[in-house]
């Protein structure tokens, strides 16, 4: 309870600040006398200087608070100005010298038209602001990811046409024809472009992945030599893994790509040598941190990649996961965005901490696999069909919304004496299916299309034609459609961009 000799103006309000959870200072109208609560003393580390709820000089109460900020003189001046201000209340956000974010409120207490006291409150909003920034960052990256994914999808269609028509033209030139060399250069450029689209799809979490149960500890236990070769002789590699399995359900190739990508960044940050560390540990996320990471709470595996390199300033850290942002000449700026996308598509999260001159620490958090069927995607394995008894040419219904790809596929299949029915969307395909009186041996459909998607189309067509075979094609993994219901289920799939021989081989495999 309050002790001391209260001034008559402050005494009625002292019980109010006694029970406040936030730091509070109650002072007289002129600021000469003040009372602070226990939260004030704790926030400003003043328990050895002041006693809670004991009236004393206003300057003594404010002294430890002002010392927490770099511009103590300016803050003191603002306090003095507000004591005489006619503004009813004010709010301000301040940063302390030790990196905290404090919200500061001033409320004058008025009785009978006269200000008789002032109530000053500080609330530590550091954690809340970090959570808000994490949410803003996630929302921004999600928006950029959707844009990048859409662009990559369209480019994969265009690159499929470029690569395909290059291969068709290639057969028309003699080996010594200089035009064939030019054609190969065009094709090689398209293949390099397709690697960029794969990275964009990884960032946007729409990459084609083939997940399985992976023990990250075992994986990393086999990587020291490869990492040492990547890092060079000047960098020491230190890997720490637990004795217990650290299993996750992920695409092992993508997890390796993420770790090697982080290692390559660390190497570039240590031109004069240093240490690369990779630590694996098992742990658990509580509800609060899970919300901050946009993950489910529960058992997880932490993979921390750290270095003793040059580190990053605050501005670089803020943009580190943005696609095409880079501080290195000739770099594409897709390293960290690719890592971010791989981890997020696996259901995990990535955090980054860095101090200029003191290195960088990137932590990957992945849901730990438990031996439960509920943890695995639903398996919709396609039943085995009997061998085809077809005697004539195969009839293939091709559904593709990109006209250039549709023409390419039709040309390749017709060159193999197949009968091709073509449609640019699902509605047109359903109309063709109902109007075609004969057998349709294969439905070859893109997955991501306007209106009905490829999976929905396949379900509709299969309901009417039970013996039809289905081959899906896409360069873009819509997470809910492609990844779970097609890739994980083991359904026949052709990834864009593809060459004509790859297309033909896959079609023949599915036809049997």
């Amino acid at each position: 309870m309050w002790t001391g000799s209260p001034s008559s103006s402050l005494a009625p309000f002292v019980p109010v600040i006694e029970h406040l959870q936030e730091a509070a200072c109650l002072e007289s109208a002129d600021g000469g006398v003040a009372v602070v609560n226990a939260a004030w003393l704790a926030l400003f580390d003043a328990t050895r200087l002041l006693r809670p709820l004991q009236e004393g000089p206003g300057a003594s109460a404010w002294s430890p608070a002002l010392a927490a900020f770099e511009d103590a003189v300016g803050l003191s001046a603002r306090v003095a100005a507000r004591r005489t201000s006619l503004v009813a209340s004010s709010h301000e956000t301040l940063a302390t010298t030790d990196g905290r974010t404090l919200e500061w409120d001033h409320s004058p207490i008025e009785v009978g038209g006269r200000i008789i006291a002032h109530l000053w409150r500080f609330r530590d909003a550091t954690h809340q602001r970090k959570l808000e920034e994490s949410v803003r960052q996630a929302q921004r990256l999600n928006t950029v990811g959707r844009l990048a994914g859409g662009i990559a999808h369209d480019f994969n269609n265009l690159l499929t046409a470029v690569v395909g028509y290059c291969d068709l033209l290639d057969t028309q030139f003699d080996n010594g024809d200089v035009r064939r060399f030019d054609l190969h250069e065009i094709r090689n450029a398209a293949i390099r472009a397709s690697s960029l689209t794969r990275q964009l799809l990884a960032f946007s979490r729409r990459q084609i992945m083939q997940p399985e149960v992976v023990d990250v500890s075992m994986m990393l236990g086999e990587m020291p030599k490869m990492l040492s070769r990547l890092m060079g002789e000047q960098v020491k590699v230190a890997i720490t893994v637990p004795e217990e399995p650290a299993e996750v359900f992920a695409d092992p190739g993508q997890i390796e790509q993420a770790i090697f990508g982080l290692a390559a960044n660390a190497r570039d940050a240590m031109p004069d040598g240093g240490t690369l560390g990779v630590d694996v540990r098992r742990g658990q996320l509580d509800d609060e941190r899970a919300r901050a990471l946009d993950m489910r709470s529960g058992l997880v595996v932490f993979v921390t990649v750290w270095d003793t390199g040059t580190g990053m300033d605050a501005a670089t850290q803020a943009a580190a996961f943005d696609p095409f942002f880079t501080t290195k000449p000739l770099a594409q700026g897709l390293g960290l965005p690719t890592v971010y996308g791989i981890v997020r598509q696996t259901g995990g999260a990535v955090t980054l901490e860095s101090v200029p001159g003191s290195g960088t620490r990137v932590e990957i958090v992945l849901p730990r696999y438990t031996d439960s069927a509920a943890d695995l995607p639903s398996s919709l394995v396609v039943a085995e069909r009997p061998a085809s008894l077809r005697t004539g040419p195969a009839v293939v219904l091709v559904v593709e919304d990109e006209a250039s790809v549709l023409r390419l596929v039709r040309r390749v299949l017709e060159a193999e004496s197949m009968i091709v029915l073509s449609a640019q969307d699902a509605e047109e395909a359903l109309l063709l299916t109902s109007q075609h009186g004969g057998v349709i041996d294969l439905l070859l459909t893109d997955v991501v299309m306007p209106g009905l998607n490829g999976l929905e189309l396949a379900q509709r067509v299969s309901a009417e034609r039970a013996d039809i075979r289905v081959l899906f094609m896409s360069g873009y993994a819509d997470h809910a459609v492609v990844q779970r219901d097609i890739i994980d289920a083991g359904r026949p799939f052709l990834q864009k961009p593809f060459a004509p021989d790859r297309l033909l081989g896959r079609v023949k495999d599915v036809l049997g």
Side-chain angles (χ1 to χ4, degrees), residues 378-427:
S378 58
S379 181
L380 304 174
V381 179
V382 179
E384 291 291 330
R385 299 183 187 273
S388 174
L389 301 177
R390 183 181 60 254
T391 56
V395 179
V396 182
L397 172 58
V398 181
V399 189
E400 167 62 61
D401 60 322
E402 176 59 46
S404 60
V405 177
L406 182 61
R407 288 192 296 269
L408 171 68
V409 173
R410 180 167 192 148
R411 181 171 170 180
V412 170
L413 298 184
E414 287 180 340
E416 290 293 313
S417 301
M418 298 183 189
I419 299 173
V420 179
L421 309 174
S422 57
Q424 286 195 276
D425 57 40
E427 297 299 330

Short mmCIF file of all heavy atoms in Angstrom, two decimals, residues 378-427:
data_model
loop_
_atom_site.label_atom_id
_atom_site.label_comp_id
_atom_site.label_asym_id
_atom_site.label_seq_id
_atom_site.Cartn_x
_atom_site.Cartn_y
_atom_site.Cartn_z
N SER A 378 -2.95 -37.02 -47.37
CA SER A 378 -3.84 -38.11 -47.75
C SER A 378 -3.37 -38.75 -49.05
O SER A 378 -2.97 -38.08 -49.99
CB SER A 378 -5.26 -37.56 -47.94
OG SER A 378 -5.25 -36.55 -48.92
N SER A 379 -3.37 -40.05 -49.09
CA SER A 379 -2.88 -40.77 -50.25
C SER A 379 -4.06 -41.19 -51.12
O SER A 379 -4.94 -41.92 -50.67
CB SER A 379 -2.09 -42.00 -49.81
OG SER A 379 -1.59 -42.68 -50.92
N LEU A 380 -4.04 -40.73 -52.33
CA LEU A 380 -5.11 -41.05 -53.26
C LEU A 380 -4.53 -41.84 -54.42
O LEU A 380 -4.60 -41.44 -55.59
CB LEU A 380 -5.78 -39.76 -53.77
CG LEU A 380 -6.32 -38.83 -52.68
CD1 LEU A 380 -6.80 -37.54 -53.32
CD2 LEU A 380 -7.45 -39.50 -51.93
N VAL A 381 -3.91 -42.96 -54.11
CA VAL A 381 -3.17 -43.71 -55.12
C VAL A 381 -4.13 -44.23 -56.19
O VAL A 381 -5.18 -44.78 -55.88
CB VAL A 381 -2.43 -44.89 -54.47
CG1 VAL A 381 -1.68 -45.69 -55.52
CG2 VAL A 381 -1.47 -44.36 -53.41
N VAL A 382 -3.73 -44.04 -57.41
CA VAL A 382 -4.57 -44.46 -58.53
C VAL A 382 -4.52 -45.98 -58.67
O VAL A 382 -3.46 -46.59 -58.62
CB VAL A 382 -4.08 -43.81 -59.85
CG1 VAL A 382 -4.94 -44.27 -61.02
CG2 VAL A 382 -4.12 -42.30 -59.72
N ALA A 383 -5.66 -46.59 -58.82
CA ALA A 383 -5.72 -48.05 -58.95
C ALA A 383 -5.08 -48.48 -60.26
O ALA A 383 -5.12 -47.78 -61.27
CB ALA A 383 -7.18 -48.51 -58.89
N GLU A 384 -4.48 -49.66 -60.22
CA GLU A 384 -3.86 -50.21 -61.43
C GLU A 384 -4.95 -50.54 -62.45
O GLU A 384 -5.99 -51.10 -62.12
CB GLU A 384 -3.09 -51.49 -61.08
CG GLU A 384 -1.85 -51.24 -60.25
CD GLU A 384 -0.77 -50.50 -61.04
OE1 GLU A 384 -0.73 -50.70 -62.27
OE2 GLU A 384 -0.02 -49.73 -60.45
N ARG A 385 -4.69 -50.18 -63.69
CA ARG A 385 -5.64 -50.48 -64.75
C ARG A 385 -5.10 -51.66 -65.57
O ARG A 385 -3.90 -51.84 -65.69
CB ARG A 385 -5.84 -49.27 -65.66
CG ARG A 385 -6.40 -48.05 -64.95
CD ARG A 385 -6.64 -46.94 -65.95
NE ARG A 385 -7.02 -45.70 -65.28
CZ ARG A 385 -8.25 -45.38 -64.96
NH1 ARG A 385 -9.22 -46.23 -65.21
NH2 ARG A 385 -8.53 -44.23 -64.37
N PRO A 386 -5.97 -52.44 -66.14
CA PRO A 386 -5.49 -53.55 -66.98
C PRO A 386 -4.77 -53.03 -68.21
O PRO A 386 -4.95 -51.89 -68.63
CB PRO A 386 -6.79 -54.28 -67.36
CG PRO A 386 -7.86 -53.23 -67.24
CD PRO A 386 -7.44 -52.36 -66.10
N ALA A 387 -3.91 -53.85 -68.76
CA ALA A 387 -3.16 -53.47 -69.96
C ALA A 387 -4.13 -53.10 -71.08
O ALA A 387 -5.21 -53.69 -71.23
CB ALA A 387 -2.27 -54.62 -70.39
N SER A 388 -3.74 -52.10 -71.86
CA SER A 388 -4.62 -51.61 -72.92
C SER A 388 -4.80 -52.66 -74.02
O SER A 388 -3.86 -53.34 -74.42
CB SER A 388 -4.02 -50.33 -73.52
OG SER A 388 -4.78 -49.91 -74.62
N LEU A 389 -6.03 -52.80 -74.48
CA LEU A 389 -6.35 -53.72 -75.58
C LEU A 389 -6.55 -52.95 -76.88
O LEU A 389 -7.15 -53.44 -77.83
CB LEU A 389 -7.61 -54.53 -75.24
CG LEU A 389 -7.52 -55.38 -73.96
CD1 LEU A 389 -8.86 -56.07 -73.70
CD2 LEU A 389 -6.40 -56.41 -74.09
N ARG A 390 -6.06 -51.71 -76.92
CA ARG A 390 -6.28 -50.84 -78.08
C ARG A 390 -5.64 -51.45 -79.33
O ARG A 390 -4.49 -51.94 -79.30
CB ARG A 390 -5.66 -49.47 -77.79
CG ARG A 390 -5.89 -48.44 -78.88
CD ARG A 390 -5.22 -47.11 -78.50
NE ARG A 390 -3.79 -47.27 -78.33
CZ ARG A 390 -3.17 -47.28 -77.15
NH1 ARG A 390 -3.87 -47.16 -76.04
NH2 ARG A 390 -1.86 -47.44 -77.07
N THR A 391 -6.35 -51.40 -80.45
CA THR A 391 -5.82 -51.92 -81.71
C THR A 391 -5.48 -50.80 -82.69
O THR A 391 -4.59 -50.96 -83.52
CB THR A 391 -6.84 -52.87 -82.36
OG1 THR A 391 -8.08 -52.18 -82.53
CG2 THR A 391 -7.05 -54.11 -81.50
N GLY A 392 -6.16 -49.69 -82.61
CA GLY A 392 -5.90 -48.57 -83.51
C GLY A 392 -5.03 -47.52 -82.83
O GLY A 392 -4.44 -47.73 -81.78
N PRO A 393 -4.92 -46.34 -83.48
CA PRO A 393 -4.13 -45.26 -82.87
C PRO A 393 -4.75 -44.77 -81.57
O PRO A 393 -5.97 -44.80 -81.40
CB PRO A 393 -4.16 -44.17 -83.95
CG PRO A 393 -5.38 -44.46 -84.77
CD PRO A 393 -5.53 -45.95 -84.75
N ALA A 394 -3.90 -44.32 -80.66
CA ALA A 394 -4.37 -43.81 -79.37
C ALA A 394 -5.09 -42.48 -79.57
O ALA A 394 -4.71 -41.65 -80.41
CB ALA A 394 -3.20 -43.63 -78.42
N VAL A 395 -6.16 -42.30 -78.80
CA VAL A 395 -6.92 -41.05 -78.83
C VAL A 395 -6.60 -40.28 -77.55
O VAL A 395 -6.81 -40.80 -76.44
CB VAL A 395 -8.43 -41.31 -78.95
CG1 VAL A 395 -9.19 -39.98 -78.95
CG2 VAL A 395 -8.74 -42.11 -80.20
N VAL A 396 -6.08 -39.07 -77.70
CA VAL A 396 -5.64 -38.28 -76.55
C VAL A 396 -6.41 -36.96 -76.53
O VAL A 396 -6.45 -36.25 -77.55
CB VAL A 396 -4.13 -38.00 -76.60
CG1 VAL A 396 -3.69 -37.20 -75.37
CG2 VAL A 396 -3.33 -39.29 -76.71
N LEU A 397 -7.01 -36.66 -75.40
CA LEU A 397 -7.66 -35.36 -75.19
C LEU A 397 -6.67 -34.47 -74.45
O LEU A 397 -6.30 -34.74 -73.31
CB LEU A 397 -8.94 -35.53 -74.37
CG LEU A 397 -9.63 -34.24 -73.90
CD1 LEU A 397 -9.99 -33.33 -75.08
CD2 LEU A 397 -10.86 -34.56 -73.08
N VAL A 398 -6.22 -33.40 -75.11
CA VAL A 398 -5.23 -32.48 -74.53
C VAL A 398 -5.95 -31.21 -74.12
O VAL A 398 -6.65 -30.58 -74.94
CB VAL A 398 -4.12 -32.15 -75.55
CG1 VAL A 398 -3.10 -31.21 -74.90
CG2 VAL A 398 -3.44 -33.43 -76.04
N VAL A 399 -5.77 -30.81 -72.85
CA VAL A 399 -6.40 -29.61 -72.32
C VAL A 399 -5.31 -28.69 -71.80
O VAL A 399 -4.60 -29.04 -70.84
CB VAL A 399 -7.41 -29.95 -71.20
CG1 VAL A 399 -8.21 -28.71 -70.83
CG2 VAL A 399 -8.32 -31.08 -71.62
N GLU A 400 -5.17 -27.52 -72.42
CA GLU A 400 -4.09 -26.59 -72.07
C GLU A 400 -4.53 -25.19 -72.45
O GLU A 400 -4.94 -24.93 -73.59
CB GLU A 400 -2.80 -26.98 -72.82
CG GLU A 400 -1.70 -25.95 -72.82
CD GLU A 400 -1.18 -25.62 -71.43
OE1 GLU A 400 -0.68 -26.53 -70.75
OE2 GLU A 400 -1.31 -24.44 -71.02
N ASP A 401 -4.47 -24.27 -71.47
CA ASP A 401 -4.97 -22.91 -71.73
C ASP A 401 -3.96 -22.02 -72.45
O ASP A 401 -4.32 -20.95 -72.92
CB ASP A 401 -5.42 -22.25 -70.43
CG ASP A 401 -4.29 -22.13 -69.41
OD1 ASP A 401 -3.47 -23.05 -69.33
OD2 ASP A 401 -4.26 -21.11 -68.70
N GLU A 402 -2.69 -22.43 -72.55
CA GLU A 402 -1.70 -21.67 -73.29
C GLU A 402 -1.66 -22.20 -74.72
O GLU A 402 -1.25 -23.34 -74.97
CB GLU A 402 -0.32 -21.80 -72.64
CG GLU A 402 0.81 -21.11 -73.38
CD GLU A 402 0.59 -19.61 -73.54
OE1 GLU A 402 0.21 -18.95 -72.56
OE2 GLU A 402 0.79 -19.11 -74.67
N ALA A 403 -2.05 -21.35 -75.67
CA ALA A 403 -2.24 -21.81 -77.05
C ALA A 403 -0.96 -22.37 -77.66
O ALA A 403 -0.99 -23.37 -78.37
CB ALA A 403 -2.78 -20.65 -77.90
N SER A 404 0.18 -21.74 -77.40
CA SER A 404 1.44 -22.20 -78.01
C SER A 404 1.82 -23.58 -77.51
O SER A 404 2.32 -24.42 -78.27
CB SER A 404 2.56 -21.20 -77.73
OG SER A 404 2.76 -21.04 -76.33
N VAL A 405 1.58 -23.85 -76.23
CA VAL A 405 1.87 -25.18 -75.67
C VAL A 405 0.89 -26.20 -76.24
O VAL A 405 1.27 -27.33 -76.57
CB VAL A 405 1.80 -25.15 -74.13
CG1 VAL A 405 2.02 -26.56 -73.56
CG2 VAL A 405 2.83 -24.19 -73.56
N LEU A 406 -0.36 -25.83 -76.36
CA LEU A 406 -1.37 -26.74 -76.92
C LEU A 406 -1.00 -27.15 -78.34
O LEU A 406 -1.07 -28.33 -78.71
CB LEU A 406 -2.74 -26.06 -76.89
CG LEU A 406 -3.93 -26.88 -77.39
CD1 LEU A 406 -4.12 -28.13 -76.54
CD2 LEU A 406 -5.20 -26.03 -77.38
N ARG A 407 -0.57 -26.17 -79.16
CA ARG A 407 -0.18 -26.49 -80.54
C ARG A 407 1.04 -27.40 -80.57
O ARG A 407 1.12 -28.32 -81.38
CB ARG A 407 0.11 -25.19 -81.31
CG ARG A 407 -1.14 -24.37 -81.65
CD ARG A 407 -0.82 -23.28 -82.66
NE ARG A 407 0.12 -22.31 -82.13
CZ ARG A 407 -0.24 -21.19 -81.49
NH1 ARG A 407 -1.54 -20.93 -81.31
NH2 ARG A 407 0.65 -20.34 -81.06
N LEU A 408 2.00 -27.13 -79.67
CA LEU A 408 3.21 -27.95 -79.61
C LEU A 408 2.87 -29.40 -79.26
O LEU A 408 3.33 -30.35 -79.92
CB LEU A 408 4.18 -27.38 -78.58
CG LEU A 408 5.40 -28.25 -78.25
CD1 LEU A 408 6.33 -28.32 -79.44
CD2 LEU A 408 6.13 -27.74 -77.01
N VAL A 409 2.07 -29.59 -78.21
CA VAL A 409 1.72 -30.94 -77.77
C VAL A 409 0.97 -31.68 -78.88
O VAL A 409 1.24 -32.85 -79.16
CB VAL A 409 0.88 -30.88 -76.48
CG1 VAL A 409 0.35 -32.26 -76.11
CG2 VAL A 409 1.71 -30.31 -75.33
N ARG A 410 0.06 -30.98 -79.50
CA ARG A 410 -0.73 -31.61 -80.58
C ARG A 410 0.19 -32.05 -81.72
O ARG A 410 0.06 -33.17 -82.24
CB ARG A 410 -1.78 -30.62 -81.08
CG ARG A 410 -2.64 -31.21 -82.21
CD ARG A 410 -3.87 -30.38 -82.48
NE ARG A 410 -4.78 -31.11 -83.35
CZ ARG A 410 -6.09 -31.00 -83.31
NH1 ARG A 410 -6.66 -30.18 -82.43
NH2 ARG A 410 -6.85 -31.69 -84.14
N ARG A 411 1.12 -31.21 -82.07
CA ARG A 411 2.03 -31.53 -83.19
C ARG A 411 2.90 -32.74 -82.85
O ARG A 411 3.10 -33.62 -83.70
CB ARG A 411 2.90 -30.30 -83.48
CG ARG A 411 3.87 -30.51 -84.62
CD ARG A 411 4.54 -29.21 -84.98
NE ARG A 411 5.63 -29.40 -85.91
CZ ARG A 411 6.39 -28.41 -86.40
NH1 ARG A 411 6.14 -27.15 -86.02
NH2 ARG A 411 7.36 -28.65 -87.25
N VAL A 412 3.42 -32.79 -81.63
CA VAL A 412 4.29 -33.91 -81.24
C VAL A 412 3.52 -35.22 -81.24
O VAL A 412 4.00 -36.25 -81.74
CB VAL A 412 4.90 -33.64 -79.85
CG1 VAL A 412 5.61 -34.87 -79.32
CG2 VAL A 412 5.87 -32.46 -79.91
N LEU A 413 2.32 -35.22 -80.69
CA LEU A 413 1.54 -36.45 -80.60
C LEU A 413 1.03 -36.91 -81.97
O LEU A 413 1.01 -38.11 -82.27
CB LEU A 413 0.37 -36.26 -79.62
CG LEU A 413 0.74 -35.95 -78.18
CD1 LEU A 413 -0.51 -35.89 -77.31
CD2 LEU A 413 1.72 -36.97 -77.62
N GLU A 414 0.61 -35.95 -82.78
CA GLU A 414 0.11 -36.32 -84.12
C GLU A 414 1.24 -36.86 -84.99
O GLU A 414 1.00 -37.70 -85.88
CB GLU A 414 -0.55 -35.12 -84.78
CG GLU A 414 -1.91 -34.78 -84.18
CD GLU A 414 -2.58 -33.59 -84.83
OE1 GLU A 414 -1.88 -32.79 -85.48
OE2 GLU A 414 -3.82 -33.47 -84.70
N ALA A 415 2.49 -36.41 -84.74
CA ALA A 415 3.63 -36.95 -85.47
C ALA A 415 3.86 -38.42 -85.16
O ALA A 415 4.51 -39.14 -85.94
CB ALA A 415 4.89 -36.15 -85.16
N GLU A 416 3.31 -38.88 -84.02
CA GLU A 416 3.39 -40.28 -83.64
C GLU A 416 2.11 -41.03 -83.98
O GLU A 416 1.84 -42.11 -83.43
CB GLU A 416 3.67 -40.39 -82.14
CG GLU A 416 5.05 -39.96 -81.74
CD GLU A 416 6.14 -40.91 -82.28
OE1 GLU A 416 5.97 -42.14 -82.13
OE2 GLU A 416 7.13 -40.41 -82.84
N SER A 417 1.33 -40.45 -84.89
CA SER A 417 0.09 -41.07 -85.41
C SER A 417 -0.99 -41.22 -84.35
O SER A 417 -1.84 -42.12 -84.44
CB SER A 417 0.42 -42.45 -86.04
OG SER A 417 1.34 -42.31 -87.10
N MET A 418 -0.97 -40.38 -83.35
CA MET A 418 -2.05 -40.38 -82.35
C MET A 418 -3.15 -39.43 -82.82
O MET A 418 -2.89 -38.45 -83.54
CB MET A 418 -1.53 -39.94 -80.98
CG MET A 418 -0.49 -40.86 -80.40
SD MET A 418 0.04 -40.34 -78.73
CE MET A 418 1.42 -41.45 -78.46
N ILE A 419 -4.37 -39.72 -82.42
CA ILE A 419 -5.49 -38.84 -82.69
C ILE A 419 -5.64 -37.89 -81.51
O ILE A 419 -5.77 -38.33 -80.35
CB ILE A 419 -6.79 -39.64 -82.90
CG1 ILE A 419 -6.63 -40.58 -84.10
CG2 ILE A 419 -7.98 -38.71 -83.06
CD1 ILE A 419 -7.79 -41.53 -84.28
N VAL A 420 -5.60 -36.58 -81.79
CA VAL A 420 -5.58 -35.59 -80.71
C VAL A 420 -6.86 -34.76 -80.75
O VAL A 420 -7.20 -34.16 -81.78
CB VAL A 420 -4.34 -34.68 -80.82
CG1 VAL A 420 -4.37 -33.63 -79.69
CG2 VAL A 420 -3.05 -35.49 -80.75
N LEU A 421 -7.55 -34.73 -79.63
CA LEU A 421 -8.65 -33.79 -79.41
C LEU A 421 -8.12 -32.70 -78.49
O LEU A 421 -7.53 -33.00 -77.45
CB LEU A 421 -9.83 -34.51 -78.74
CG LEU A 421 -10.32 -35.81 -79.40
CD1 LEU A 421 -11.40 -36.45 -78.53
CD2 LEU A 421 -10.85 -35.53 -80.80
N SER A 422 -8.30 -31.46 -78.84
CA SER A 422 -7.69 -30.39 -78.05
C SER A 422 -8.73 -29.41 -77.55
O SER A 422 -9.72 -29.11 -78.22
CB SER A 422 -6.64 -29.65 -78.88
OG SER A 422 -7.20 -29.12 -80.06
N ALA A 423 -8.47 -28.89 -76.32
CA ALA A 423 -9.36 -27.91 -75.69
C ALA A 423 -8.51 -26.94 -74.88
O ALA A 423 -7.46 -27.30 -74.35
CB ALA A 423 -10.38 -28.60 -74.79
N GLN A 424 -9.00 -25.70 -74.77
CA GLN A 424 -8.24 -24.68 -74.06
C GLN A 424 -8.73 -24.45 -72.63
O GLN A 424 -8.15 -23.65 -71.91
CB GLN A 424 -8.24 -23.35 -74.84
CG GLN A 424 -7.35 -23.40 -76.07
CD GLN A 424 -7.08 -22.00 -76.62
OE1 GLN A 424 -7.88 -21.46 -77.37
NE2 GLN A 424 -5.95 -21.43 -76.24
N ASP A 425 -9.79 -25.13 -72.23
CA ASP A 425 -10.23 -25.04 -70.84
C ASP A 425 -11.08 -26.26 -70.53
O ASP A 425 -11.41 -27.08 -71.41
CB ASP A 425 -11.00 -23.75 -70.56
CG ASP A 425 -12.22 -23.56 -71.46
OD1 ASP A 425 -12.93 -24.56 -71.71
OD2 ASP A 425 -12.46 -22.43 -71.91
N ALA A 426 -11.44 -26.41 -69.26
CA ALA A 426 -12.16 -27.60 -68.82
C ALA A 426 -13.56 -27.68 -69.43
O ALA A 426 -14.02 -28.78 -69.77
CB ALA A 426 -12.25 -27.60 -67.29
N GLU A 427 -14.24 -26.56 -69.55
CA GLU A 427 -15.59 -26.58 -70.11
C GLU A 427 -15.59 -27.10 -71.55
O GLU A 427 -16.45 -27.91 -71.94
CB GLU A 427 -16.21 -25.17 -70.05
CG GLU A 427 -16.39 -24.63 -68.64
CD GLU A 427 -17.33 -25.49 -67.81
OE1 GLU A 427 -18.24 -26.12 -68.39
OE2 GLU A 427 -17.13 -25.55 -66.57
#
